[in-house]
Amino acid sequence: MKTSTAIATGIAAVAALCFALPTLSRAATNPFPGIYSIIDPVTGETKDVLKVESLLGEYVVLARFGGHGPWTGPIYAKVMGNGDSYASPPLFQQDRMVSALSLDEIGYLYHTPGNSHSRVGPSDTGYISNIASFGIEPLYRRPLRAGHDERGERGRHAYTPGAGERKVSVSTLNYSPRMVQVGISSTSNPDNAVDTDPLNPHMSSAASCCFHLPAQAAAPLQVKLEYRWLPKGRPEVLAMTLPANSDADELLILVQADGSMSVEFRHPGKDLDLTPEGVKSINGKPYPLPPAAERRARLTAELVRRKRFLKDMYRLRDNGTGESVEAAYQLRYLIDEYEKTITYLETFSACAGSLATCDKQATAAARAP
């Protein structure tokens, strides 16, 4: 059976599918710190791909270019100056208000206020990428952790584990319609703590490291969930007892639709490629996804966005790029990929079957000569 991952890695490998999310903050003086996502409009799954933080006048970037697994890096980045040269020729003349963050040799992240044009086009989300791993894509930004510095190996971590302890990573799955940020700490030692990234409604976080547990559990472990409903909720604490310890190396914090919370170990062998409906699962439960009606609306909006960008590509082709052979080749490649993606989305939108059935039909249509 085709998976929803095949949609992004097959038909749209260069153009991961996405739609607009609310952006809580776009400070004009420092627009880049934040967490950036792409979203598959077919399944509705949000995938974090970049995490940008300021460091001594420059930036540190963590990446999840496939949208899964833990953050990797760091990548050191800087804002491009007027005299700096880019790795590839522009498709568009860049507006003055646009700024670009260079991610070492990986690519660029553009801030495009007011839907202004970057070198690779406009973005109605305020941000657009030109990164080798997923191409030219609008990205959707949300703030970094609010209220205190992030606790964990990549942030503030004051805990020194003992010889008889092991570390586990922590992920949050937000099934609720509210934004939330969550951390976990040991009742016996508050320095043994880790935070997961703040989450939009109906999404899961990257795995954060590390929380420390006894290698051999002698008694139930008391922990605290420390959370805030965003953007303006006050910090709250929920005490709970961890389930029986196991050899699992990840804890899952589950935020249910009604706002209740629980914690469980992620057991090996419980993840499936697909549920019968064609949605990936975790610990036997589907990943957090928005309601079906919202997914359909986002799919429609994404089609509009893709067609608008393709129209711009046609205009550039018909007028001549006026640039190098490399720019002309890039333009032809983009047109081909966007035409295939639009065919896929149009076919999928017209299909009344299951996700897996519609994926098969749409993939065949997009691959047709």
Side-chain angles (χ1 to χ4, degrees), residues 32 57-59 77-87 94-96 98-103 108-110 119:
F32 290 113
E58 293 191 344
Y59 297 89
K78 69 170 187 175
V79 175
M80 296 292 287
N82 292 333
D84 292 334
S85 60
Y86 289 76
Q94 183 163 293
D95 294 339
R96 287 185 176 183
V98 172
S99 53
L101 187 68
S102 173
L103 281 63
Y108 304 93
L109 170 64
Y110 296 92
R119 292 166 59 91

Side-chain angles (χ1 to χ4, degrees), residues 25-33 59 79 97-99 111 113 127 141:
S25 173
R26 288 200 184 118
T29 56
N30 195 5
F32 290 113
Y59 297 89
V79 175
M97 64 185 71
V98 172
S99 53
H111 176 224
Y127 294 90
R141 174 180 175 261

